[in-house]
């Protein structure tokens, strides 16, 4: 390896244990891109920790898992946000460092995810740009900025919600960072941040559903490389305020992760209606109690009392709020067949309470055979607030498919009776 | 290689020519005329550093705010040749590699000239040359480090970690001139990056890709091709994509520095001779501008002297072994490995020790600046202090070395 003797931007070697740790921890994450993220961050922390300890003296131990105090420190990966964004937090000499690693060959821009900057419980005193070469086994600290410099000088890229700044606009002398940490700083390191409105559990639930649906549409998160997959970024599905509201709360973050896991498991699968009748159901299919906004309609009242109803939120581009696919099933005792009623509604809860919105004109609800033969089609007219398929009966074990079509957008749900 | 010094007007009108292992200053006649015109035909004769600094400020101001960008920029490019050359020479000596020589280092640094001009803050206490020293030094180190990485990483990881811009530079250096060929390779790279699981450690060679991977890649490529018909991308199936990606890897592996065949003069071609014709009396240096500059320059020089005395005091206060270390590293220009051998200590300790001593100097400088400069916003001043320290250490280095040689 070339030894570049760059005094002001030190090059550190990546210790072997960091690689092993990185490999072990990353396998716990959901998607390949997050695993790589975890691996890269583990390498970075693994190389930085001994360096910081050397600089600070071992008596001032470095707390690495300082990001989310409320999370039990079962493992490093769980206390860092690697399934959501790139970057790690370190507590060094009473300050909070945000370390952003990259392994690009030609780094020119320092890109920091907005979460690290604009959520006050995430933000740090200093932001360090770190380049690493996992194969050659080195890491270089390329420069740093404090929070208020980043906020003032960087440009905000709406496309991927990052703050970007040219590499050479950073302070490229890491010795200064150490000197400043010894001296009392007279500078304002932290810029003022707008407060993120906190969300109630009731508000969070539909947001999480919305993310899960997008996740399902993004395709399978293959654990076996190298299947093609579309990169999916949960952080860009909602508005930043909404997303930040989830990210700020440990309980909400855990709910989101649970829901994403569940929906990945359910993804591509056929919904087993017989299990509903036995009382078990995937979390994406919610009961009337969980979807209080749903009004009971005439069609539903005609179903027998022992029927089970579940709703799933579905998002279509161009709609203000998600649609609810409402499926009700009853076992017909006489011939063992199952009676099914499928409705599509467009209702949402906002600050004012329940809002019933008309369905977009031309929206189609279609019943298909597994071979994609169309059995029934219902089209929404002007001002329809719900549409439903005519009640139908399905033989036990048979599969059917419900398709929702608006323009060229298609969402399909498969069921087994 | 002999390094001839330049007169004032030459500093803003000549470019380094490093071909054939020789060093020559090549004059750009239009720049020379422009300088002569402004200097009023007087030969500058003896020039002080502040004269160069004045002309740096003069051209920088015109480049930033004037209607004509190309000429001021070309003058500044000419000026930057020297810090660029010294950094390339020192670093190519210090980190001798078989493959990257002085010329590669020089080009890698000169390629960053635009960034240097953009990044330089004329209100800063540090001069353009000081700022450029840091920036060029970093650019050369980055290029050397990148070349190192290019040769360590696997084919797939190489393609994954490469940006379009970087690939384009590499292809151009490798002799690809056709725009449509370049665009085709770029599209092949993008299709590859689109289908590969974002990051994967397990597959390393193109041979590890599955037939499904290639099918997906061909699909991506046709999408890209259809989206930009104007680019006239070549038809591509699996075999073609395989070949293109292999070529990309080949070009990337031998890439050291961007080519700047015409970097020196190309910028001039955009604006024609008109600029010279337009030169009228009001373009003559306004004496007032010079007066203002001189006044500010006096302050800056005073500051530099104060900085020097702070640093000298600190160095005097260091113990003997620390002074020895600074002397060996900065004065004799020894590598850390050599210092380790000389002082019989572990090499990793050398770099830590040098860093520690440097931090002591930096800390004293920051404390002094706080007390003396009464600043409200520390960050820009800190940057300056860090640059001053580098300059001072380098000057000590070259100054003492000259004495050393004289003795």
């Amino acid at each position: 390896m070339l030894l570049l003797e760059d005094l002001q931007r030190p090059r550190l070697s990546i210790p072997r244990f960091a690689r092993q740790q990185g490999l072990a921890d990353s396998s716990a994450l959901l998607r390949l891109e997050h695993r790589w993220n975890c691996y890269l961050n583990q390498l970075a922390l693994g190389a930085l920790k001994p360096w910081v300890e050397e600089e600070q003296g071992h008596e001032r131990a470095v707390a690495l898992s300082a990001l989310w105090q409320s999370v039990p420190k079962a493992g490093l990966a769980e206390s860092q946000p690697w399934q959501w964004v790139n970057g790690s937090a370190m507590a060094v000499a009473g300050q909070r460092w945000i370390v952003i690693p990259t392994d690009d060959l030609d780094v020119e821009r320092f890109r920091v995810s907005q979460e690290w900057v604009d959520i006050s419980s995430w933000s740090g005193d200093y932001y360090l740009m770190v380049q690493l070469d996992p194969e050659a086994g080195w890491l270089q600290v390329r420069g740093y900025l404090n929070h208020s410099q980043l906020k003032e000088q960087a440009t905000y890229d709406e496309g991927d919600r990052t703050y970007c700044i040219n590499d050479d606009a950073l302070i490229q002398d890491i010795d200064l960072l150490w000197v400043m940490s010894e001296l009392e700083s007279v500078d304002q390191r932290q810029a003022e941040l707008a407060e993120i409105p906190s969300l109630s559990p009731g508000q969070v639930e539909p947001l999480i559903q919305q993310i899960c649906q997008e996740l399902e549409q993004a395709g399978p998160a293959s654990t076996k490389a190298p299947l093609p997959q579309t990169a999916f970024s949960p952080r860009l599905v909602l508005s930043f305020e909404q997303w930040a509201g989830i990210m700020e709360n440990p309980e909400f973050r855990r709910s989101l992760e649970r829901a994403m896991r569940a929906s990945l498991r359910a993804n591509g699968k056929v919904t087993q209606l017989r299990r509903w009748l036995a009382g078990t159901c995937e979390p994406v299919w919610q009961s009337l109690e969980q979807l209080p906004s749903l009004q009971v309609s005439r069609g539903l009242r005609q179903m027998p009392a022992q029927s089970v109803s579940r709703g799933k939120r579905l998002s279509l581009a161009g709609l203000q709020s998600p649609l609810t696919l409402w499926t009700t099933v009853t076992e017909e005792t006489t011939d063992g067949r199952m009676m099914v009623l499928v409705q599509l509604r467009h209702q949402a809860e906002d600050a004012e309470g329940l809002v019933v919105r008309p369905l977009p004109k031309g929206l189609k609800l279609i019943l298909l055979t597994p071979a994609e033969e169309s059995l029934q089609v219902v089209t929404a007219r002007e001002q329809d607030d719900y549409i439903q398929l005519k009640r139908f009966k399905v033989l036990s074990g048979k599969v059917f498919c419900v398709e929702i079509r608006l323009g060229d957008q298609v969402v399909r749900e498969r069921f087994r009776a | 290689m002999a390094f001839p010094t330049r007169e004032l007007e030459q500093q803003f009108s000549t470019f380094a020519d490093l071909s054939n292992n020789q060093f020559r200053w090549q004059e750009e006649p239009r720049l020379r005329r422009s300088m002569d015109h402004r200097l009023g035909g007087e030969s500058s004769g003896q020039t002080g550093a502040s004269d160069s600094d004045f002309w740096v400020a003069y051209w920088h101001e015109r480049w930033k705010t004037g209607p004509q960008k190309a000429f001021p920029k070309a003058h500044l490019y000419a000026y930057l040749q020297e810090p660029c050359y010294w950094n390339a020479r020192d670093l190519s000596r210090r980190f001798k590699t078989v493959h990257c020589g002085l010329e590669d280092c020089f080009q890698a640094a000169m390629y960053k000239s635009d960034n240097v001009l953009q990044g330089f803050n004329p209100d800063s206490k540090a001069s353009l040359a000081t700022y450029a020293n840091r920036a060029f030094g970093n650019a050369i180190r980055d290029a050397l480090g990148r070349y190192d990485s290019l040769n360590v990483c696997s084919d797939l990881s190489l393609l994954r970690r490469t940006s379009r811009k970087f690939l384009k530079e590499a292809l151009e250096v490798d002799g690809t001139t056709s725009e449509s060929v370049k665009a085709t390779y770029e599209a092949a790279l993008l299709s590859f990056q689109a289908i590969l699981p974002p990051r994967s450690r397990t597959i390393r060679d193109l041979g590890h890709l599955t037939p499904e991977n290639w099918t997906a890649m061909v699909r991506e490529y046709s999408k890209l091709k259809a989206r930009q018909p104007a680019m006239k991308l070549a038809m591509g199936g699996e075999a073609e994509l395989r070949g293109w990606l292999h070529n990309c890897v080949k070009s990337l592996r031998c890439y050291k520095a961007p080519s700047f065949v015409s970097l020196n003069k190309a910028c001039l071609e955009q604006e024609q001779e008109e600029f010279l014709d337009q030169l009228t009396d009001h373009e003559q240096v306004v004496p007032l501008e010079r007066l203002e500059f001189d006044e500010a320059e006096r302050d800056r020089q005073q500051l530099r002297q104060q900085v020097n005395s702070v640093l000298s005091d600190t160095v005097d206060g260091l113990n003997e072994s620390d002074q020895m270390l600074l002397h060996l590293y900065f004065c004799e220009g020894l590598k850390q490995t050599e210092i380790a051998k000389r002082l019989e200590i572990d090499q990793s300790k050398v770099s830590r020790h040098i860093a520690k001593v440097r931090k002591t100097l930096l800390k004293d400088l920051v404390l002094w600046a706080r007390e003396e400069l009464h600043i409200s916003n520390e960050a820009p001043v800190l940057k300056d202090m860090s640059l001053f320290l580098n300059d001072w250490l380098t000057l000590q280095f070259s100054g003492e070395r000259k004495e050393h040689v004289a003795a």
Side-chain angles (χ1 to χ4, degrees), chain A residues 310-330:
Chain A
R310 297 282 167 171
K312 182 176 179 179
R313 305 263 195 196
L314 302 167
S315 297
L316 288 181
L319 294 190
Q320 282 171 302
S321 49
L323 301 167
T324 309
L325 182 68
W326 189 250
T327 306
T328 307
V329 293
T330 318

Side-chain angles (χ1 to χ4, degrees), chain A residues 166-365:
Chain A
N166 260 348
D167 180 23
D168 44 21
L170 304 180
I171 300 178
Q172 295 175 320
D173 185 345
I174 305 306
D175 286 347
L176 261 181
L177 183 57
W178 294 120
V179 168
M180 297 316 291
S181 74
E182 260 180 72
L183 303 172
E184 190 68 27
S185 176
V186 296
D187 248 5
Q188 172 128 26
R189 289 197 300 260
Q190 289 269 357
E192 298 276 336
L193 289 177
E195 202 170 317
I196 310 268
S198 50
L199 298 169
S200 71
Q203 288 168 306
V204 168
E205 201 52 40
L207 298 177
I208 289 182
Q209 289 307 318
Q210 201 180 331
I211 293 174
C212 289
Q213 273 167 38
E214 297 252 349
L215 175 61
E216 286 171 26
Q217 283 162 24
S222 167
T223 49
K224 288 186 210 86
L227 272 180
Q229 63 172 0
T230 332
F232 171 73
S233 187
R235 53 189 290 273
L236 301 180
V237 174
L238 308 170
S239 75
F240 180 73
E241 260 191 9
Q242 293 171 324
W243 171 251
I246 298 177
M247 284 294 108
E248 209 169 23
N249 182 319
E251 197 44 56
F252 294 164
R253 282 197 303 264
R254 273 198 292 275
S255 308
L256 174 59
E257 184 166 5
R258 268 198 305 272
M260 282 173 65
R261 276 183 194 280
S263 85
L264 281 174
R265 271 196 301 273
N267 185 34
K269 279 189 191 162
V270 180
T271 305
Q272 307 288 343
L273 294 176
R274 201 148 295 276
R275 287 207 206 138
W276 290 13
L277 294 171
T280 53
C281 188
E282 295 88 354
V284 287
W285 287 98
Q286 295 178 300
S287 67
L288 199 61
E289 293 74 48
Q290 290 166 304
L291 292 166
S293 62
L294 212 71
Q295 286 180 332
V296 178
S297 64
R298 193 170 55 88
L300 272 177
R301 281 197 297 270
Q302 288 172 350
M303 293 293 281
Q306 70 273 31
S307 60
V308 178
S309 292
R310 297 282 167 171
K312 182 176 179 179
R313 305 263 195 196
L314 302 167
S315 297
L316 288 181
L319 294 190
Q320 282 171 302
S321 49
L323 301 167
T324 309
L325 182 68
W326 189 250
T327 306
T328 307
V329 293
T330 318
E331 190 152 19
E332 291 276 283
T333 43
T334 45
D335 55 5
R337 289 191 296 176
M338 198 178 268
M339 179 143 60
V340 184
L341 177 70
V342 179
Q343 297 186 329
L344 191 62
R345 323 190 133 259
H346 191 200
Q347 297 178 328
E349 211 179 356
D350 66 10
E352 315 242 304
L354 175 69
V355 183
V356 180
R357 296 205 172 94
L359 292 164
K361 194 183 159 204
L363 179 79
K364 285 188 165 60
L365 182 62

Side-chain angles (χ1 to χ4, degrees), chain B residues 140-239:
Chain B
I140 294 167
R141 286 187 165 93
D142 287 349
L144 290 171
R146 202 174 50 204
Y147 185 67
D148 189 36
S149 290
L150 283 174
N151 285 293
V152 177
C153 66
S154 71
D155 286 1
L156 285 198
S157 137
L158 179 64
L159 290 169
R160 184 175 57 66
R161 295 165 64 192
T162 293
S163 69
R164 288 159 78 182
K165 174 172 164 283
F166 188 56
L167 175 68
K168 201 166 162 216
E169 286 168 18
L171 289 170
E172 278 166 6
V173 170
D174 207 22
T176 309
T177 48
S178 152
E179 286 302 321
S180 75
V181 172
K182 275 186 275 184
T184 299
Y185 282 0
E186 275 174 46
L189 178 77
L190 287 183
S191 331
F192 166 83
Q193 289 175 344
I195 65 101
L196 194 73
R199 312 272 148 148
S200 170
R201 292 178 304 272
T202 45
I203 45 175
R204 295 175 60 82
D205 296 318
L206 286 172
H208 288 161
L209 294 181
T210 62
E212 291 82 42
N213 285 149
W214 287 105
T215 317
M217 208 187 309
V218 170
R219 203 166 22 195
E220 277 298 321
Y221 180 81
S222 0
K223 264 196 264 169
L224 285 175
K225 182 171 153 54
R227 217 179 296 154
Q228 34 185 353
M231 297 306 293
K232 296 198 174 60
L233 301 184
M235 291 292 289
E238 183 184 327

Side-chain angles (χ1 to χ4, degrees), chain A residues 36 55 103 133 135 149 226, chain B residues 149 157 161 199 213 359 379:
Chain A
W36 181 265
E55 289 284 340
D103 71 332
D133 188 329
E135 283 157 298
Q149 289 167 320
Chain B
S149 290
S157 137
R161 295 165 64 192
R199 312 272 148 148
N213 285 149
K359 260 177 279 188

